C-alpha cells in the first residue's frame, strides 16, 4: 500500500529571479503489498476468478466492463457522493451522440488552484482497447477513497487537478467485443477514422477530416493548460514517447504490420526534451509489475529495452495525439500500452489494476518536477500568453491567464527565455534539483514605459 513519506522543504535562491521550493513528499519507496490487497483497495468489489454482473453501487466499483450507460451512472453517482473531491463535465459528444465525460479528481475540483498544475489521463482512444477505460474508472475510485487515509494521495490531490477521460471513443467501444485480443473491430470511431491519426501533425500535412472526438480534445487542451498527460492503449506492453512521426518516414496503415516489418529499419525521432520523456516513460515502466522487463507480447512482436520506446522508432504515424499535445500546447504526453490483449476477459481486470496502479499514480506526480512560476508586470499583474522557451529546447510553452507556467525538467542548470507583447524579452538562469520543483517568478519590463498603466492594482497571488 502507499506508505507515509517524510516531506522535504529546501530553498534555492538565484540572483536572476525568485526561486524557492514547494513542499513535496518524497516517494522513492512507495510500495504495494503483493499478497493482501484488501487494505489497498477500499471500496472495491473483488472480481474473483469469474466475471460478475455489474452492480451500480455508489460506494463500490466491480472489476467488470462498463458500457457507456453504466459508466455514466457510475460517474454521476461518484460526483454526487464526493462533491468536495470530484467534478464531472463533458468536453463534447461522439459521432453517435455519446458524451465524452471527464472527471476531475482534486481537492479543488471546480476551480483551478493557482500555481498548481492540471494533468490528465485519456483512455480508449481506440475503442477496442478497453483495459485503459476500466483502469481509469478504478483510478478515480482509488483516489477518492484514499484521500482521507493516505498522506501521499492527499498531497497529490491537494496540489494537482487530475482530469480523467475514461473513453474518448465510446462509439468504437460499443462496436467492440470482450475477449478479442487482436484485430480492428471497434478500433475506429463510427465514421471509420482512427482518432490517433486525426490530429494536426508537425512533420507532415494531415489531410484526414477532423472528427468530433478529436475536435473536442483540441478545444479542451486549448482551454486548460495541461502540464502532463498519459494516453492509455492496449495491444502491447510499453511506454512510448514522442515523436511518433519523423520527416522522412514511410507511414504504414496497420500498426501491427509496421511493428513487425519496420522494427529493424525505423529510426528514433527525438524531441528536444528527450531526457524528460525517457524519464517519464521509465517512471511508468519501472513502477509497473511487468513492463520494465521489456518482454515481447508475442514471438513476432518487438521487445522493448526497459519497457520504453521512442514512438517513431517503434513505428511512425502521422496525426498522433501525443505529438500534438507537445508541439501545440507544451503538454508532455506519453502513450501507455498497458495490455498485450486489447480487450481481455473481465476476470483479468483485477490483475491489470494491480499491475498499473502504482505506475499511474507516480506518473502523475512527475508534474511536480522541474520549474514553475509566474510571469508578471512591474505591478505584479499576470501576463497572459507570454511565450516561454528553455534555451536549447525549441519547443515552447506559454503562461495561463494568471501568468502561470510549468515545465518538467531533469536536474541541471537552465536558461528560461521569456517573450511577451509590449515587454522587453528576458533571459533568466535557474537551477533544477531532484528533490523538489523550483519556483521561479519573472517580472517583465514594458518596452515602452509610457504605454504602461501605473495605476493598475497589483495582482494578488493569494
Amino acid at each position: 500500500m502507499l506508505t507515509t513519506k517524510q516531506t522535504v522543504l529546501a530553498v534555492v535562491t538565484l540572483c536572476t529571479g525568485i526561486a524557492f521550493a514547494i513542499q513535496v513528499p518524497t516517494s522513492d519507496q512507495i510500495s504495494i503489498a503483493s499478497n493482501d490487497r484488501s487494505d489497498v483497495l477500499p471500496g472495491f468489489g473483488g472480481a474473483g476468478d469469474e466475471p460478475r454482473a455489474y452492480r451500480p453501487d455508489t460506494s463500490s466499483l466491480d472489476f467488470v466492463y462498463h458500457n457507456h450507460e453504466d459508466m455514466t451512472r457510475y460517474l454521476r453517482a461518484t460526483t454526487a457522493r464526493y462533491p468536495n473531491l470530484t467534478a464531472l463535465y463533458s468536453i463534447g459528444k461522439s459521432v453517435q451522440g455519446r458524451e465524452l465525460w471527464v472527471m476531475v479528481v482534486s481537492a479543488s475540483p471546480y476551480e483551478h488552484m493557482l500555481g498548481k498544475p492540471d494533468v490528465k489521463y485519456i483512455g480508449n482512444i481506440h475503442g477496442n482497447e478497453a483495459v485503459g477505460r476500466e483502469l481509469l474508472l478504478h483510478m478515480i475510485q482509488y483516489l477518492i477513497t484514499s484521500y482521507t487515509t493516505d498522506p501521499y494521495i492527499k498531497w497529490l490531490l491537494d496540489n494537482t487537478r487530475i482530469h480523467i477521460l475514461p473513453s474518448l471513443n465510446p462509439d468504437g467501444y460499443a462496436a467492440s467485443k470482450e475477449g478479442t485480443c487482436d484485430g480492428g473491430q471497434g478500433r475506429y470511431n463510427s465514421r471509420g477514422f482512427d482518432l490517433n491519426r486525426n490530429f494536426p501533425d508537425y512533420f507532415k500535412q494531415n489531410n484526414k477530416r477532423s472528427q468530433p472526438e478529436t475536435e473536442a480534445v483540441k478545444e479542451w487542451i486549448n482551454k486548460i493548460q495541461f502540464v502532463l498527460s498519459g494516453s492509455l492503449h492496449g495491444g502491447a506492453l510499453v511506454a512510448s514517447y514522442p515523436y511518433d512521426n519523423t520527416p522522412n518516414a514511410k507511414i504504414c496503415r496497420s500498426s501491427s504490420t509496421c511493428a513487425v516489418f519496420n522494427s529493424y529499419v525505423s529510426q528514433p525521432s527525438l524531441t528536444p526534451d528527450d531526457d524528460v520523456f525517457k524519464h517519464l516513460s521509465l517512471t511508468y515502466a519501472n513502477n509497473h509489475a511487468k513492463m520494465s522487463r521489456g518482454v515481447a507480447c508475442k514471438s513476432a512482436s518487438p521487445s522493448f529495452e526497459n519497457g520504453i520506446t521512442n514512438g517513431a522508432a517503434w513505428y511512425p504515424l502521422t496525426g498522433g495525439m501525443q505529438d500534438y499535445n507537445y508541439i501545440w500546447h507544451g503538454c508532455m504526453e506519453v502513450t501507455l500500452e498497458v495490455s498485450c490483449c486489447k480487450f481481455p476477459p473481465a476476470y483479468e481486470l483485477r490483475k491489470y489494476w494491480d499491475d498499473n496502479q502504482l505506475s499511474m499514480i507516480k506518473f502523475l506526480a512527475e508534474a511536480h518536477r522541474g520549474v514553475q512560476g509566474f510571469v508578471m508586470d512591474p505591478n505584479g499583474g499576470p501576463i497572459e500568453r507570454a511565450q516561454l522557451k528553455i534555451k536549447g529546447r525549441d519547443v515552447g510553452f506559454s503562461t495561463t491567464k494568471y501568468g502561470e507556467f510549468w515545465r518538467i525538467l531533469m536536474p541541471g542548470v537552465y536558461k528560461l527565455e521569456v517573450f511577451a507583447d509590449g515587454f522587453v524579452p528576458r533571459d533568466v538562469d535557474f537551477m533544477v534539483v531532484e528533490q523538489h520543483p523550483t519556483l521561479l517568478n519573472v517580472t517583465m519590463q514594458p518596452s515602452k514605459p509610457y504605454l504602461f498603466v501605473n495605476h493598475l492594482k497589483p495582482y494578488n497571488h493569494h
Side-chain angles (χ1 to χ4, degrees), residues 209-227:
R209 183 159 54 100
S210 188
Q211 296 303 294
E213 297 91 345
T214 322
E215 286 298 309
V217 170
K218 288 160 65 177
E219 185 177 353
W220 182 34
I221 62 180
N222 190 51
K223 288 179 179 177
I224 301 173
Q225 187 151 323
F226 291 105
V227 178

Side-chain angles (χ1 to χ4, degrees), residues 56 135 154 172 215 335 342 461:
L135 291 182
K154 185 178 189 304
E215 286 298 309
T335 297
K342 293 184 177 182
H461 291 300

Side-chain angles (χ1 to χ4, degrees), residues 107-374:
S108 178
Y110 285 95
E111 58 183 359
H112 172 69
M113 296 185 288
L114 197 65
K116 298 179 180 180
D118 286 84
V119 299
K120 62 181 166 72
Y121 271 131
I122 297 177
N124 207 204
I125 187 171
H126 294 139
N128 63 335
E129 298 172 13
V131 174
R133 173 187 175 113
E134 296 302 323
L135 291 182
L136 291 177
L137 295 180
H138 282 278
M139 183 70 171
I140 292 168
Q141 182 77 8
Y142 181 75
L143 292 173
I144 57 181
T145 55
S146 301
Y147 180 75
T148 58
T149 59
D150 190 304
Y152 189 80
I153 298 299
K154 185 178 189 304
W155 167 80
L156 188 63
L157 298 191
D158 284 348
N159 292 280
T160 325
R161 293 185 79 229
I162 302 169
H163 302 247
I164 296 177
L165 195 169
S167 180
L168 179 56
N169 188 359
D171 297 353
Y173 176 83
S176 305
K177 186 177 180 181
E178 181 180 337
T180 306
C181 287
D182 302 303
Q185 181 179 344
R187 175 183 176 89
Y188 309 107
N189 78 343
S190 61
R191 289 178 180 162
F193 284 82
D194 187 328
L195 299 179
N196 201 39
R197 309 291 189 275
N198 199 239
F199 287 87
D201 194 272
Y202 176 64
F203 296 100
K204 293 181 173 66
Q205 183 173 348
N206 191 354
N207 296 316
K208 295 184 174 65
R209 183 159 54 100
S210 188
Q211 296 303 294
E213 297 91 345
T214 322
E215 286 298 309
V217 170
K218 288 160 65 177
E219 185 177 353
W220 182 34
I221 62 180
N222 190 51
K223 288 179 179 177
I224 301 173
Q225 187 151 323
F226 291 105
V227 178
L228 178 64
S229 176
S231 174
L232 275 66
H233 292 237
L237 201 60
V238 66
S240 175
Y241 55 88
Y243 293 119
D244 266 333
N245 207 354
T246 181
N248 50 12
K250 295 181 179 179
I251 305 300
C252 301
R253 294 186 62 84
S254 165
S255 61
S256 58
T257 303
C258 285
V260 174
F261 294 106
N262 281 6
S263 59
Y264 301 104
V265 295
S266 296
Q267 296 297 316
S269 182
L270 305 182
T271 71
D273 291 289
D274 189 60
D275 58 336
V276 176
F277 277 116
K278 283 179 178 172
H279 170 80
L280 293 172
S281 301
L282 283 169
T283 296
Y284 199 94
N286 287 340
N287 287 288
H288 189 278
K290 303 179 182 69
M291 190 179 289
S292 64
R293 298 176 197 166
V295 178
C297 285
K298 298 176 182 176
S299 58
S301 302
S303 59
F304 304 99
E305 185 177 359
N306 299 318
I308 70 171
T309 184
N310 172 260
W314 183 11
Y315 60 89
L317 60 92
T318 295
M321 185 167 64
Q322 68 178 12
D323 287 9
Y324 177 78
N325 269 266
Y326 176 59
I327 291 291
W328 267 261
H329 295 281
C331 173
M332 294 188 174
E333 180 169 285
V334 174
T335 297
L336 305 165
E337 302 272 357
V338 297
S339 63
C340 289
C341 181
K342 293 184 177 182
F343 203 151
Y347 63 80
E348 295 184 4
L349 285 172
R350 175 64 176 262
K351 174 190 70 176
Y352 287 111
W353 170 246
D354 289 351
D355 287 350
N356 287 276
Q357 174 199 351
L358 183 59
S359 293
M360 294 173 73
I361 293 167
K362 290 200 70 175
F363 179 83
L364 291 184
E366 290 300 308
H368 297 278
R369 170 186 292 278
V371 64
Q372 59 190 80
F374 295 87

Side-chain angles (χ1 to χ4, degrees), residues 20 111 113-115 374 376 380 402 439 441 458-462:
F20 56 91
E111 58 183 359
M113 296 185 288
L114 197 65
F374 295 87
M376 302 165 290
Y402 305 111
L439 181 57
N441 294 334
Y459 180 71
N460 185 359
H461 291 300
H462 306 288

Side-chain angles (χ1 to χ4, degrees), residues 28 279 366 368-369 410-412 432-437:
D28 308 338
H279 170 80
E366 290 300 308
H368 297 278
R369 170 186 292 278
M410 303 308 294
V432 170
V433 296
E434 177 67 33
Q435 290 81 4
H436 49 75

